Amino acid sequence: MCDDQGQHQDEQSQRRLQNQLIMGNQGSVFFLYKITLVAAVGGLLFGYDTAVIAGAIGFLQIKFDLSPSMVGWVASCALIGCVFGALFAGALSDWLGRKKILILSAILFGISSLGIAVPSDLNWFVFFRIIGGLGIGIASMLAPMYITEIAPAEKRGRLVSINQLGIVTGILLIYFVNAEIAGMYDESWNVETGWRWMFGSGIFPSVIFLVLLFFVPESPRWLAKQGRNEEALFILTKINGPQKAGLELVEINQNLNTESVSFSEIFKPGIRKALVVGIILAMFSQITGINAIMYYAPEIFKSTGDGSDSALLQTILVGVVNFLFTIVAIKYVDKVGRKSLLLAGSAGMTVCLALIGGAFYLDLAKGYLVLISILAYIAFFALSLGPLTFVVIAEIFPNRTRGRAMSICVFALWIFVFIVSQCFPILLQSIGNAFTFWIFMLMSIGAFLFVWKFIPETKEKTLEEMEKLWL
């Protein structure tokens, strides 16, 4: 009987050991999603800080008596910081690590929020907006790259898209905050004080992001690049399990040139083609009009005859649709693939922009056609160019050049955000709403043709396979 009991205990021990090995080989899904969600808080700050201007710009225009060109400058001045933040984030993160530079972005967000809450004049406002822009630029480039470098190939599209979910969550959150603050008192209070509270509220997510970053690891691919293979293997093991982690580390090191990478290497055959594709995709994600709508949504709705309160509520609808359809993109990006979603989204955006322009041209803007068409446009964007631009440009470059190549792509993205944001109020005044939206429609047609001709399908390919894809 003792022998039977001992044999039974041995069998139980073997089963427990087998279960531990199976779980170990699978890695920790909780650990993977914890890292992703913390990085996505950087996306939330990105969305929060860029979209806060939508609720404040009308009050700033009255407060400082702004012309259309100055409205564009005040709305887009943060983008100067975004451009330089994105440009230097890659080199800084290659030098100091992804995590440390994400911490820097959180600090810059906080400084900007506090500084804008108490500016003495417009120049100080612009200064602190540019400081915040540096943080936005860093987060916009590093958060998706960081997630890309920790994500298994079969989950990468979904996980990087969670960063976009963070962005649209930030946009939706600040739309609610703006509406709540604007509704507290009358318009004269908003002109003097309300807009300061809107910007100052950003200190809370900034502090949350800063604290959470101390609980996530460094990128294993960056650690491998520094020759810190034991640390890299430890993190990869927690993500993928020991067996897969060992194989992945070998593959990383085989494809990794640990020598310093110069900008000239980015322009070599293969990588150069990927860089051009990344830059043009980043361009199309902006010149199709998304930030013109996200930054100026309340003013667009006011132009249809709605008052300030109604316009702010309709703007919240924009944020809700953006949020919901980003979730749809997350669900299908690794099943349907990047290219199919990009084609469907750009085609749908084209139709919606044609309808918006037509409604203004035929004087039908006072009904619900503009609102419905804008919401549909946002839905198609959230399914495609919104999340997938960052997915594609984060995964198409080999490890040794990813930081600097992504910096150039995101730098180009912010250049076009600035151009669109600066020109939109001027275009509305000079050629009118209809032709402005029809210009965006033509850009959407261009985006469809570009994706169809030049974007390869990258789902389920490892990062180490990307260089072979382009060559």
Side-chain angles (χ1 to χ4, degrees):
M1 185 171 178
C2 289
D3 289 343
D4 291 342
Q5 188 175 9
Q7 185 178 359
H8 180 65
Q9 289 175 343
D10 288 342
E11 288 174 355
Q12 284 184 323
S13 298
Q14 286 177 354
R15 279 197 296 271
R16 279 197 298 269
L17 180 60
Q18 287 173 348
N19 289 335
Q20 288 172 357
L21 287 170
I22 291 169
M23 291 178 67
N25 282 332
Q26 290 176 341
S28 172
V29 174
F30 172 78
F31 180 70
L32 178 61
Y33 276 92
K34 181 186 80 170
I35 297 171
T36 301
L37 290 172
V38 170
V41 177
L44 184 145
L45 275 173
F46 166 7
Y48 195 100
D49 205 60
T50 52
V52 64
I53 194 67
I57 190 64
F59 304 127
L60 287 164
Q61 186 175 10
I62 298 169
K63 166 73 174 173
F64 296 108
D65 190 24
L66 302 176
S67 66
S69 60
M70 282 301 294
V71 169
W73 168 239
V74 168
S76 60
C77 60
L79 304 177
I80 299 296
C82 295
V83 166
F84 287 101
L87 182 63
F88 294 110
L92 286 173
S93 69
D94 283 345
W95 175 35
L96 296 172
R98 317 314 192 201
K99 180 176 171 178
K100 289 186 179 70
I101 306 304
L102 281 171
I103 289 172
L104 174 62
S105 75
I107 294 169
L108 292 171
F109 279 125
I111 292 171
S112 173
S113 297
L114 287 177
I116 292 174
V118 287
S120 57
D121 57 30
L122 190 60
N123 290 330
W124 277 110
F125 170 86
V126 170
F127 173 76
F128 282 109
R129 278 297 280 164
I130 292 173
I131 294 294
L134 289 169
I136 298 169
I138 290 170
S140 68
M141 180 257 170
L142 272 190
M145 184 171 78
Y146 175 75
I147 297 170
T148 297
E149 292 188 342
I150 61 101
E154 67 276 8
K155 297 178 181 176
R156 191 174 58 244
R158 184 185 315 155
L159 293 177
V160 177
S161 295
I162 288 175
N163 179 67
Q164 181 68 17
L165 183 64
I167 294 171
V168 301
T169 301
I171 292 170
L172 179 59
L173 181 60
I174 190 57
Y175 283 169
F176 276 110
V177 171
N178 283 348
E180 185 66 26
I181 291 172
M184 290 173 64
Y185 300 104
D186 59 15
E187 184 166 324
S188 62
W189 180 84
N190 282 312
V191 169
E192 291 300 322
T193 306
W195 61 269
R196 301 176 191 270
W197 288 28
M198 293 175 185
F199 287 102
S201 67
I203 188 64
F204 298 107
S206 301
V207 171
I208 291 170
F209 186 42
L210 180 62
V211 171
L212 289 176
L213 282 169
F214 287 97
F215 295 94
V216 296
E218 182 52 82
S219 158
R221 284 177 167 81
W222 182 82
L223 290 170
K225 188 176 180 180
Q226 306 304 308
R228 294 158 62 177
N229 285 308
E230 287 187 8
E231 295 171 69
L233 182 61
F234 176 76
I235 297 164
L236 288 170
T237 300
K238 292 188 74 173
I239 294 169
N240 297 309
Q243 184 176 354
K244 190 174 178 182
L247 294 173
E248 188 167 0
L249 184 59
V250 169
E251 190 175 11
I252 289 169
N253 282 318
Q254 284 176 346
N255 288 274
L256 195 62
N257 181 358
T258 55
E259 296 178 359
S260 159
V261 178
S262 65
F263 269 105
S264 62
E265 182 164 351
I266 298 169
F267 299 98
K268 290 182 178 178
I271 300 174
R272 180 176 61 214
K273 184 178 179 181
L275 181 66
V276 171
V277 166
I279 289 171
I280 296 176
L281 183 62
M283 176 189 75
F284 276 122
S285 75
Q286 301 308 313
I287 63 174
T288 47
I290 183 60
N291 280 310
I293 291 175
M294 300 310 289
Y295 291 2
Y296 296 102
E299 306 310 307
I300 293 170
F301 292 129
K302 285 178 192 176
S303 72
T304 67
D306 292 310
S308 294
D309 292 342
S310 177
L312 284 170
L313 290 174
Q314 290 178 354
T315 302
I316 289 174
L317 275 178
V318 169
V320 169
V321 170
N322 199 10
F323 177 85
L324 292 175
F325 279 86
T326 300
I327 293 175
V328 176
I330 290 170
K331 181 176 181 181
Y332 290 105
V333 61
D334 286 320
K335 296 178 182 177
V336 177
R338 286 65 156 149
K339 186 166 185 170
S340 297
L341 287 178
L342 284 169
L343 288 172
S346 53
M349 289 162 59
T350 299
V351 174
C352 295
L353 289 165
L355 290 173
I356 296 168
F360 280 112
Y361 186 78
L362 299 172
D363 200 22
L364 300 174
K366 296 189 185 301
Y368 288 102
L369 180 58
V370 169
L371 174 61
I372 293 170
S373 299
I374 285 178
L375 293 178
Y377 165 86
I378 294 295
F380 282 114
F381 180 84
L383 277 173
S384 57
L385 283 167
L388 300 189
T389 296
F390 288 101
V391 171
V392 172
I393 65 177
E395 67 184 6
I396 60 176
F397 301 109
N399 289 323
R400 66 182 180 277
T401 59
R402 184 174 300 113
R404 298 194 180 191
M406 270 196 73
S407 281
I408 294 175
C409 292
V410 180
F411 168 80
L413 183 146
W414 285 114
I415 288 288
F416 288 105
V417 175
F418 177 79
I419 292 170
V420 171
S421 303
Q422 180 70 47
C423 294
F424 184 66
I426 300 170
L427 286 171
L428 290 182
Q429 186 184 50
S430 58
I431 65 175
N433 290 1
F435 287 100
T436 300
F437 282 102
W438 282 339
I439 288 173
F440 293 145
M441 176 196 72
L442 293 174
M443 298 301 104
S444 294
I445 293 172
F448 179 90
L449 295 174
F450 173 75
V451 170
W452 175 56
K453 185 71 176 175
F454 295 105
I455 298 291
E457 183 52 71
T458 57
K459 72 170 183 174
E460 297 186 358
K461 288 184 170 63
T462 68
L463 297 180
E464 287 65 44
E465 290 172 336
M466 291 299 171
E467 188 170 8
K468 298 173 186 175
L469 173 72
W470 293 108
L471 289 172

